[in-house]
Amino acid sequence: SGRPTKISVVGAGHVGMAIAQTILTQDLADVLALVDANPDKLRGEMLDLQHAAAFLPRTTILSSVDFSSTAGSDLCIVTAGARQIPGESRLNLIHRNVELFQKIIPAVAAKSPECMLLIVSNPVDVLTFVAWKLSKFPPNRVIGSGTNLDSSRFRFLIADHLQVNAQDVQAYIIGEHGDSSVALWSSISVGGVDLLSCLEKEEINYEKETLEKIHKAVVDSAYEVINLKGYTSWAIGYSAASLARTLLRDQRRIHPVSVLAKGLHGISGEVFLSLPVQLGRGGVLGVTNVHLTEEEAQRLRRSAETVLEVQSQLEI
Ligand code: LAC
């Protein structure tokens, strides 16, 4: 289009700066705008990134405590907000972060009325719903990073178990980016070979609880990292940057991300949950018709109820 591609990152904390750094190293934007409430931290991060100019593809880096630097963005990535303390569930952050979103989202939407919104702050499914309501954008332009990261963790664990490359493991976690997420065991393939049938053929004796254990390891992994280093940043940074690349380069790739799931798989409420969807320049291009077993569909509907329950406590 010739017009410079612009990404704004709202929130210059660990997650926001991991995403910003990956945007620069992967040359995903011509202009990168940073926003944060702390002026010194924000200016420090901007200068520190600008000083790497000689080693990076040329990117104009702006920053502002207000939202002026975000004007005319193609993609706005929102990472601002309180983060879990060790042992705290993501859903527990909701009241603090909704208040913040009531300031952030209308301002970002007013400055970039045509942008795509990528929500990363937790609880991401509820906050993506809140961003959809507050921005008044069509739902195809409001996406949550959701279980794109959980699915990468899942693929890593399976790949590590089988000693293959995680990029050759096609596996989805869907639903809430949280404790009620759903592992789609029935649709996992490794190098195009259906996993469960290949385990059967090898007579690898896998008990249901083995599968449950691997899924639980995925759910617990963020808690473990938070307990060890206080927060997660690199994996979510690469996850969000992979979504930014797909969206801005119109890659038409399929990612499990948080989208308006109303009407899908028997879900009736206005709720954002992760499902495998095709993404491109227009945001959500389509929802794949992934096959769910009856048990997987039931778990997905229970996950929807969990998120709707938290959402029902909000006044926005
Ligand atoms: C995690 C945070 C981003 O799962 O929720 O690491």
Side-chain angles (χ1 to χ4, degrees):
S1 68
R3 191 173 59 82
T5 300
K6 179 170 182 178
I7 300 179
S8 289
V9 175
V10 179
H14 298 294
V15 174
M17 292 319 293
I19 295 170
Q21 192 225 2
T22 312
I23 286 167
L24 295 178
T25 51
Q26 295 185 9
D27 195 11
L28 296 181
D30 302 301
V31 182
L32 171 66
L34 300 174
V35 178
D36 195 275
N38 177 331
D40 292 348
K41 160 82 168 142
L42 179 64
R43 182 165 170 73
E45 293 289 6
M46 178 191 73
L47 292 173
D48 201 1
L49 285 180
Q50 286 174 339
H51 297 160
F55 314 119
L56 288 170
R58 185 172 184 282
T59 307
T60 302
I61 305 170
L62 314 168
S63 71
S64 63
V65 175
D66 64 14
F67 294 89
S68 54
S69 63
T70 68
S73 295
D74 297 286
L75 174 64
C76 289
I77 304 175
V78 184
T79 74
R83 64 166 180 260
Q84 297 154 269
I85 56 170
E88 184 179 26
S89 87
R90 297 178 182 86
L91 289 172
N92 196 44
L93 300 167
I94 190 58
H95 294 294
R96 283 165 279 175
N97 289 346
V98 166
E99 225 171 287
L100 196 56
F101 267 48
Q102 281 166 330
K103 281 200 284 292
I104 292 173
I105 301 300
V108 161
K111 294 279 179 202
S112 307
E114 298 308 315
C115 79
M116 292 177 284
L117 282 176
L118 175 58
I119 307 304
V120 178
S121 314
N122 274 318
V124 66
D125 302 296
V126 181
L127 288 176
T128 307
F129 168 80
V130 169
W132 173 50
K133 288 292 182 189
L134 293 174
S135 65
K136 301 184 177 53
F137 283 3
N140 61 295
R141 288 201 277 128
V142 185
I143 297 154
S145 53
T147 60
N148 195 51
L149 172 50
D150 312 61
S151 301
S152 171
R153 289 170 169 144
F154 193 33
R155 294 165 67 186
F156 164 71
L157 289 173
I158 292 167
D160 196 41
H161 192 72
L162 299 174
Q163 282 304 295
V164 298
N165 186 316
Q167 300 199 28
D168 293 326
V169 178
Q170 184 69 46
Y172 292 125
I173 300 265
I174 63 172
E176 178 206 357
H177 171 53
D179 299 350
S180 70
S181 66
V182 184
L184 293 191
W185 288 102
S186 61
S187 50
I188 297 178
S189 69
V190 180
V193 179
D194 172 71
L195 177 69
L196 295 191
S197 62
C198 105
L199 290 176
E200 261 153 31
K201 220 186 277 96
E202 308 292 309
E203 266 125 281
I204 297 174
N205 195 12
Y206 65 97
E207 294 305 320
K208 217 164 145 44
E209 50 263 22
T210 313
L211 305 184
E212 292 298 327
K213 243 190 308 205
I214 294 176
H215 176 224
K216 191 172 177 319
V218 173
V219 173
D220 292 345
S221 48
Y223 290 108
E224 181 181 6
V225 174
I226 290 168
N227 287 339
L228 291 168
K229 64 176 256 191
Y231 55 88
T232 69
S233 55
W234 301 122
I236 183 62
Y238 284 109
S239 167
S242 78
L243 297 173
R245 168 188 289 280
T246 296
L247 290 164
L248 291 173
R249 297 275 170 80
D250 198 26
Q251 298 288 297
R252 307 179 76 81
R253 290 193 56 200
I254 293 167
H255 293 266
V257 288
S258 196
V259 294
L260 183 59
K262 180 177 178 193
L264 301 171
H265 301 291
I267 293 166
S268 52
E270 277 194 335
V271 63
F272 279 69
L273 287 175
S274 287
L275 289 167
V277 298
Q278 190 181 43
L279 299 176
R281 191 75 198 201
V284 179
L285 306 177
V287 184
T288 67
N289 197 10
V290 64
H291 169 71
L292 303 186
T293 63
E294 193 33 46
E295 184 188 355
E296 289 166 345
Q298 275 166 14
R299 286 182 179 209
L300 180 66
R301 286 191 287 273
R302 266 207 301 281
S303 188
E305 289 313 314
T306 302
V307 177
L308 281 164
E309 166 57 34
V310 173
Q311 225 163 264
S312 64
Q313 298 159 24
L314 303 179
E315 295 100 39
I316 46 163

